Amino acid sequence: MSCDIGVVGLAVMGENLILNFESRGYNVAIHNRSTDKIDKFVAGRAKDKKIFGGETIEKFVGLLKKPRTAMLMVKAGNVVDIYIEKLIPFLEKGDIIIDGGNSNWNDTNRRMAALKEKGILFVGAGVSGGEEGALKGPSIMPGGDSEAWPFVKDKLQQISAKVGEKKDIPCCDWVGDSGAGHYVKMVHNGIEYGDIQLICEAYHLLKNICGVTNEELVEIFKEWNKGDLDSYLIEITIDIFGKKEEDGKSYVVDNILDTAGQKGTGKWTAMNALDLGQPVTLIGESVFARCLSALKDQRVKASKILKGPEESKDKVDKKEFIEAVRQALFASKIVSYAQGFTLIRAAAEEYKWNINYGAVALMWRGGCIIRSKFLGNIKEAFDKAPDLDNLLLDKFFTDKIQACTKSWRKVCGEAIKRGIPAPAFTSALSYFDGYRSARLPANLLQAQRDYFGAHTYERLDKPRGVFEHTNWTGRGGNTSSSTYNA
């Protein structure tokens, strides 16, 4: 056999990517740890297709054209390392391994460096879109050894989602060296955490303040999906609100336990934001909201002990409040993406990656979970100003968010007054207010740090980089300040 690409891993994502490759005219070699799954797939979904099973790694590699390209669609972590070690004895200099899982970008750095010593090229490619995207066209974010890109470019771009008027622009482009591709995928997932949490908070507020029914929620979200909030997540939420149990007596969503799971990429985003000193507050709150939801038993117990505010007798105008929630959701969503892109920029500077931010927005425009209408506006913003510090400073987003602030504040105020948790909405608003503040109370914070730890501080009346320490108590006889140059 002479296969163009090989895929290891026959879980749902792997199977669908294999079928995607084959539908684009590629011969595909496949391998899986349990060989019975290979036989079942070849005889079932892959029947009469140019898909060929390799029961062993040696046979799998033997099916591939040179330079051989093997794509791993296995569980992130140690399993990836295990399969790399299995592949190495049968690969030659110039052969390529692609990791298409949700790997930590630090692992991608390590793997690329180790394989480079052996002459094997490594690509860490973030793949987003779920099982449907994998089959019909996902968003793909490749990074790693740039020498591999000319050999894998056509294959990955062929199977990716397409956007543009002619649907001919692939949602796949080279992101950058080493772990850049998996890093951008990590931030994508962090923004996804934020988007989901914001939608959940909007749902919670509408239910608890306006008393809307699931039928009404379907119509509300349909209307929202026609405008600025047009996105995949709003679209699927419409289907979720409308799905009834088989007996037709209740809705599935109302019968789901309110504890959220997570696979770690949102947490990685928040942790790296702290490492880089970036205020990615909305994503952080979204991660913590999932952690809080997992404390179900404690929350049930606390609900019987801890009391919130008395039920408000103030009535809201239902129609007006629904529109206010829409605006608050959109404004908060802008903040989420603004924070995500500032984090990518900070990482690019720290890790010496040359990232095209407009191209990243384009990669997210189709195929992926956070695909939405306004990603096109993000691309336009970076096309106009590639060095844009923050999306909030682009005129389109400045105008949009300013138009929403009155409603945004109203929604957050109502949530606080009524004791309804809205951590993502409120943290997004606090970030907005903090970012637009020329002066924050960190002057007092610096004074406190200098008082108890002699950490020094800078002054408004002196150049940046000149630090001072004050003897705040006067003990020791010296009450003056000492000056230090950075």
Side-chain angles (χ1 to χ4, degrees), residues 1-14:
M1 300 300 173
S2 190
C3 292
D4 304 291
I5 191 165
V7 178
V8 176
L10 292 179
V12 175
M13 286 289 287

Side-chain angles (χ1 to χ4, degrees), residues 19-224:
L19 293 171
N20 190 345
F21 275 119
E22 197 276 343
S23 71
R24 308 291 175 175
Y26 295 110
N27 290 2
V28 188
I30 64 172
H31 175 77
N32 194 70
R33 181 178 59 83
S34 52
T35 55
D36 60 326
K37 202 163 186 179
I38 299 174
D39 297 334
K40 183 179 178 181
F41 180 59
V42 170
R45 298 182 73 194
K47 188 176 181 181
D48 298 325
K49 298 184 185 295
K50 293 173 288 185
I51 296 171
F52 309 95
E55 294 80 8
T56 66
I57 287 291
E58 183 176 9
K59 289 182 179 178
F60 165 76
V61 173
L63 292 170
L64 300 174
K65 292 178 183 176
K66 295 182 180 181
R68 306 174 184 90
T69 301
M71 186 169 188
L72 302 179
M73 294 302 298
V74 297
K75 186 177 180 180
N78 191 47
V79 179
V80 177
D81 291 312
I82 290 171
Y83 271 103
I84 289 173
E85 290 303 314
K86 287 183 176 181
L87 285 165
I88 285 172
F90 306 107
L91 297 180
E92 299 174 355
K93 185 176 180 180
D95 287 343
I96 302 161
I97 297 175
I98 304 172
D99 175 14
N102 263 338
S103 290
N104 187 295
W105 61 280
N106 286 300
D107 288 337
T108 303
N109 288 345
R110 170 179 58 80
R111 289 162 183 154
M112 191 195 90
L115 287 167
K116 196 172 187 67
E117 291 182 0
K118 301 178 184 299
I120 298 170
L121 309 179
F122 187 73
V123 174
V127 179
S128 178
E131 54 187 276
E132 182 181 0
L135 181 64
K136 298 180 181 178
S139 170
I140 307 176
M141 295 149 261
D145 195 323
S146 59
E147 290 182 35
W149 182 232
F151 298 101
V152 302
K153 178 181 179 180
D154 288 345
K155 296 181 182 70
L156 296 182
Q157 290 190 339
Q158 279 288 325
I159 68 164
S160 73
K162 308 294 189 299
V163 294
E165 290 183 9
K166 298 180 180 179
K167 299 293 182 183
D168 58 350
I169 303 173
C171 294
C172 171
D173 203 354
W174 189 251
V175 176
D177 294 336
S178 57
H182 273 137
Y183 188 94
V184 166
K185 175 58 164 55
M186 176 192 77
V187 176
H188 164 284
N189 285 23
I191 293 172
E192 178 186 314
Y193 272 54
D195 268 6
I196 290 172
Q197 179 62 27
L198 289 169
I199 292 170
C200 289
E201 290 179 16
Y203 156 69
H204 201 197
L205 290 166
L206 293 176
K207 275 277 190 183
N208 284 274
I209 296 179
C210 297
V212 296
T213 64
N214 286 13
E215 293 95 331
E216 288 176 306
L217 284 167
V218 169
E219 296 308 314
I220 289 167
F221 273 65
K222 279 183 179 178
E223 193 61 33
W224 287 1

Side-chain angles (χ1 to χ4, degrees), residues 120-363:
I120 298 170
L121 309 179
F122 187 73
V123 174
V127 179
S128 178
E131 54 187 276
E132 182 181 0
L135 181 64
K136 298 180 181 178
S139 170
I140 307 176
M141 295 149 261
D145 195 323
S146 59
E147 290 182 35
W149 182 232
F151 298 101
V152 302
K153 178 181 179 180
D154 288 345
K155 296 181 182 70
L156 296 182
Q157 290 190 339
Q158 279 288 325
I159 68 164
S160 73
K162 308 294 189 299
V163 294
E165 290 183 9
K166 298 180 180 179
K167 299 293 182 183
D168 58 350
I169 303 173
C171 294
C172 171
D173 203 354
W174 189 251
V175 176
D177 294 336
S178 57
H182 273 137
Y183 188 94
V184 166
K185 175 58 164 55
M186 176 192 77
V187 176
H188 164 284
N189 285 23
I191 293 172
E192 178 186 314
Y193 272 54
D195 268 6
I196 290 172
Q197 179 62 27
L198 289 169
I199 292 170
C200 289
E201 290 179 16
Y203 156 69
H204 201 197
L205 290 166
L206 293 176
K207 275 277 190 183
N208 284 274
I209 296 179
C210 297
V212 296
T213 64
N214 286 13
E215 293 95 331
E216 288 176 306
L217 284 167
V218 169
E219 296 308 314
I220 289 167
F221 273 65
K222 279 183 179 178
E223 193 61 33
W224 287 1
N225 205 43
K226 295 176 183 177
D228 290 329
L229 289 172
D230 178 3
S231 65
Y232 173 73
L233 284 169
I234 293 290
E235 183 182 313
I236 68 169
T237 305
I238 295 167
D239 293 339
I240 290 168
F241 285 144
K243 183 68 173 177
K244 285 189 173 183
E245 299 284 6
E246 289 185 6
D247 61 11
K249 295 179 180 179
S250 62
Y251 288 88
V252 174
V253 68
D254 295 331
N255 296 324
I256 296 175
L257 185 69
D258 56 318
T259 62
Q262 54 182 307
K263 291 188 175 180
T265 45
K267 180 180 72 174
W268 296 345
T269 308
M271 290 170 64
N272 186 252
L274 290 171
D275 289 339
L276 296 178
Q278 295 299 310
V280 184
T281 54
L282 194 151
I283 293 171
E285 286 292 351
S286 300
V287 174
F288 289 131
R290 294 194 185 194
C291 296
L292 184 59
S293 78
L295 304 177
K296 175 66 175 178
D297 293 341
Q298 292 184 44
R299 290 190 290 112
V300 170
K301 183 179 179 180
S303 69
K304 300 171 183 176
I305 301 170
L306 304 176
K307 303 302 178 185
E310 292 184 8
E311 186 173 346
S312 177
K313 295 179 181 179
D314 297 335
K315 300 294 182 183
V316 298
D317 182 289
K318 188 173 179 178
K319 185 177 180 180
E320 286 183 3
F321 193 72
I322 290 170
E323 172 57 18
V325 172
R326 184 196 70 79
Q327 291 189 30
L329 176 56
F330 183 56
S332 300
K333 184 182 173 80
I334 292 173
V335 167
S336 181
Y337 284 73
Q339 290 182 355
F341 274 94
T342 58
L343 179 59
I344 294 173
R345 177 178 290 283
E349 292 175 2
E350 178 71 16
Y351 309 125
K352 308 298 186 252
W353 295 331
N354 183 22
I355 294 179
N356 182 326
Y357 306 103
V360 170
L362 185 64
M363 279 186 270

Side-chain angles (χ1 to χ4, degrees), residues 471 474-480:
N471 183 343
R475 286 190 289 269
N478 181 12
T479 61
S480 64

